[in-house]
Amino acid sequence: MVRAPILVICASALLITSALGATTPYFKIRVVDDATGRGVPLVELRTVNQMRFMTDSAGLVAFNEPGLMAGDVFFFVSSPGYEYPADGFGYRGTALKPRPGGEATIRLKRTNVAERICRLTGQGIYRDSLLLGERPPLTNPALNGGVMGQDTAQAEIVNGRMLWFWGDTDRTGYPLGNFSTSGAVATLPHGSADAGIEFHYFTGSDGFVRGMVPSTKPLPVWVSGLVVLTGKELYAYYAQMKSLGSIDTSGYLRWNDAKERFDILQTFGKDRGWRYIDGHTVQVDGYVLGNDPPNVRVKADAKSLQDPAAYEAFTCLEPDGSVRRVNGKPDYRWQKELPPITSETEARLVREGKLRQDEAHFLPLDETGTPVEVVSGSVHWNTYRNRWVAILGRKGGKESFLGEIDYAEADAPTGPFRHAVKVVDHPHYTFYNPVHHAFLDKGSCIYFEGTYTAEFSGNPEKTPLYNYNQLLYKLDLSDSRLAFAR
């Protein structure tokens, strides 16, 4: 992909227009991607006295601060995956001259391979655009369904509709919100995810999102492993949680289109080991694969989903934990007795010298030669690359424990994924449970999202508006920087 040269922008080169007597009290600051000219969400502009202003999904800040509307104001400029040039003292920022009705444009170099498109959930997605009198692309750009924050997205096409589901959901009126799964029907208001996604939430009489899963216990219900059969029957795995790592009950759900909610189809009790489909799924040759990355499968029919004896796990291990080899090579196969192998297990086997790095299926190497231990993600067939492509969450990255996302390719959904390219980074922050929505793919571009949160990062500063919400990214698979993943 040919990229425009990066322009080093200084204060004198910024576009600033004065509008004395303008009706708006705000000074418009637009922050754009230098390569695409598109507004960049999640850019922090910070003053010398530590006031923070975040760009909205259009890359805009509406600035109107008493005492700072008459002279030069220096703004430190920072954003994960984007960079502003440093001056002679190492400061990355610029001085602007805020005036009511005036405006300035700041251009950033994108260091991420993937481009940040917008925030999908939460309050104030286009807050500053509204203050500036701009026309946002969404019907509800300020508040939708009373949602302040949402965890972990799942989405599928069912009966021609895009159904979206999320976990725990924050509300405006109290720190506790909906913990029984939230849902919505989604549309693309301008025909492409580039303009954002319009969510038509399933709400209660108070206007706030209502629970999608019936429950008699005051415990969170998490939904995952969505499976669409015959194009119109939606099934999902659910877990009712005692705590973050402790399950109270779990089982399978079936979507009730008439009531626009899930019905409980089957309850396992606490759990049934590994014999269920979790995470983000993909269907291949009559099977449903899941569990991030795909290491468990079952035949794609409702009877098999409910039958624990029908499940198979992908592994190269023997019952004693040793690596099974055939003609000197690890024998990765589908079988019914042993649990599935994971990236974490492969990493341990490599450290112990029982498996070579180039023999692993879910432990790719990045360009620095570092193994990528995968903790979540999704795999889909991509016609542009003519391969299976994976968007993978990395555990223990260089600058964040769960904030880095990698791209990898393979000839099969189970790998082997040999090489990975880091496409997104969120230093000192978390971006977990990434999912590639293949039904949004357009030409060479794919779209993925994840939960942006301070949880598990150790960062005490939570990003205003953006924290605990979904960010959407676009990745152009024609980008030459992805060649290493071949």
Side-chain angles (χ1 to χ4, degrees):
M1 185 173 86
V2 178
R3 292 189 170 272
I6 301 304
L7 303 179
V8 178
I9 309 298
C10 62
S12 62
L14 292 170
L15 172 62
I16 302 177
T17 62
S18 177
L20 297 176
T23 57
T24 176
Y26 295 103
F27 178 69
K28 180 194 294 186
I29 306 174
R30 185 186 302 275
V31 184
V32 302
D33 184 322
D34 186 69
T36 66
R38 182 187 177 90
V40 182
L42 190 62
V43 179
E44 179 186 283
L45 304 181
R46 182 165 48 89
T47 62
V48 172
N49 62 343
Q50 307 305 309
M51 287 189 294
R52 303 170 69 196
F53 303 87
M54 306 300 303
T55 59
D56 69 5
S57 281
L60 294 175
V61 164
F63 184 80
N64 180 14
E65 187 62 30
L68 297 181
M69 302 299 288
D72 288 353
V73 177
F74 185 87
F75 291 92
F76 295 94
V77 182
S78 63
S79 182
Y82 292 79
E83 185 177 86
Y84 192 81
D87 65 14
F89 293 98
Y91 296 133
R92 295 185 182 273
T94 187
L96 306 179
K97 295 182 182 295
R99 298 288 188 276
E103 65 179 76
T105 298
I106 300 174
R107 298 183 179 275
L108 299 183
K109 172 185 177 181
R110 175 156 44 95
T111 55
N112 277 343
V113 181
E115 180 183 8
R116 190 178 307 123
I117 297 299
C118 62
R119 176 160 57 95
L120 291 176
T121 59
Q123 182 264 333
I125 292 176
Y126 285 96
R127 171 189 180 275
D128 294 80
S129 297
L130 292 171
L131 292 174
L132 291 163
E134 304 274 331
R135 182 175 292 180
L138 303 180
T139 304
N140 298 296
L143 184 66
N144 190 4
V147 172
M148 295 290 273
Q150 288 188 298
D151 188 17
T152 304
Q154 297 267 338
E156 290 288 350
I157 304 293
V158 184
N159 281 326
R161 299 197 302 174
M162 283 194 292
L163 292 183
W164 237 270
F165 300 97
W166 300 267
D168 303 344
T169 301
D170 294 339
R171 68 187 308 154
T172 61
Y174 194 70
L176 300 180
N178 176 33
F179 294 93
S180 295
T181 301
S182 302
V185 177
T187 57
L188 301 178
H190 298 275
S192 167
D194 283 348
I197 299 173
E198 189 88 65
F199 294 119
H200 309 272
Y201 284 106
F202 301 118
T203 59
S205 58
D206 60 354
F208 181 56
V209 293
R210 58 180 172 84
M212 294 286 97
V213 182
S215 175
T216 58
K217 298 179 180 180
L219 298 174
V221 180
W222 297 346
V223 169
S224 64
L226 269 59
V227 177
V228 180
L229 302 179
T230 69
K232 59 183 180 179
E233 297 174 355
L234 175 63
Y235 298 84
Y237 167 76
Y238 81 94
Q240 192 155 37
M241 307 300 295
K242 290 181 179 179
S243 62
L244 184 62
S246 178
I247 296 175
D248 179 76
T249 56
S250 61
Y252 270 111
L253 306 169
R254 179 170 51 202
W255 178 249
N256 187 324
D257 209 32
K259 295 182 178 180
E260 295 186 323
R261 70 170 198 189
F262 284 105
D263 294 328
I264 294 178
L265 177 67
Q266 180 186 36
T267 299
F268 304 157
K270 183 178 180 181
D271 62 46
R272 63 179 191 189
W274 55 267
R275 293 174 172 85
Y276 61 92
I277 295 294
D278 195 6
H280 302 294
T281 67
V282 64
Q283 296 193 36
V284 185
D285 298 330
Y287 284 89
V288 178
L289 281 66
N291 287 39
D292 292 347
N295 57 7
V296 173
R297 75 176 186 179
V298 69
K299 287 185 178 179
D301 62 75
K303 181 180 179 181
S304 297
L305 278 177
Q306 300 173 73
D307 180 7
Y311 285 77
E312 297 178 298
F314 191 70
T315 188
C316 65
L317 297 182
E318 295 278 21
D320 63 1
S322 62
V323 176
R324 173 176 172 172
R325 292 183 177 274
V326 175
N327 298 324
K329 297 181 179 180
D331 182 26
Y332 281 87
R333 77 274 184 205
W334 293 104
Q335 48 79 58
K336 292 188 174 184
E337 288 74 34
L338 301 175
I341 200 163
T342 64
S343 181
E344 180 182 20
T345 301
E346 289 183 327
R348 175 181 57 79
L349 292 170
V350 170
R351 289 194 301 269
E352 293 173 352
K354 299 176 181 178
L355 189 71
R356 293 200 319 269
Q357 174 66 50
D358 62 358
E359 294 176 326
H361 275 236
F362 305 122
L363 192 70
L365 290 177
D366 68 13
E367 291 174 291
T368 70
T370 302
V372 176
E373 189 173 323
V374 178
V375 289
S376 59
S378 60
V379 177
H380 288 286
W381 176 257
N382 183 264
T383 55
Y384 179 81
R385 300 291 279 196
N386 199 32
R387 300 192 85 194
W388 293 90
V389 301
I391 295 294
L392 305 171
R394 179 192 295 216
K395 177 182 176 182
K398 183 178 179 181
E399 296 186 87
S400 57
F401 181 63
L402 291 173
E404 298 181 13
I405 304 299
D406 289 85
Y407 170 86
E409 298 181 4
D411 293 326
T414 52
F417 296 98
R418 299 296 192 200
H419 301 99
V421 175
K422 183 169 69 173
V423 293
V424 166
D425 195 3
H426 301 89
H428 315 299
Y429 227 78
T430 293
F431 191 71
Y432 63 56
N433 291 340
V435 52
H436 163 206
H437 298 303
F439 52 80
L440 296 177
D441 291 357
K442 195 170 184 179
S444 63
C445 294
I446 67 173
Y447 297 82
F448 64 92
E449 66 174 290
T451 305
Y452 177 80
T453 175
E455 296 295 326
F456 315 115
S457 71
N459 191 336
E461 289 193 9
K462 296 182 178 180
T463 308
L465 296 173
Y466 284 87
N467 187 70
Y468 202 56
N469 273 301
Q470 306 300 306
L471 295 181
L472 181 69
Y473 282 88
K474 178 170 72 172
L475 180 63
D476 190 340
L477 300 187
S478 69
D479 194 310
S480 61
R481 289 173 291 182
L482 299 178
F484 180 76
R486 273 290 188 184

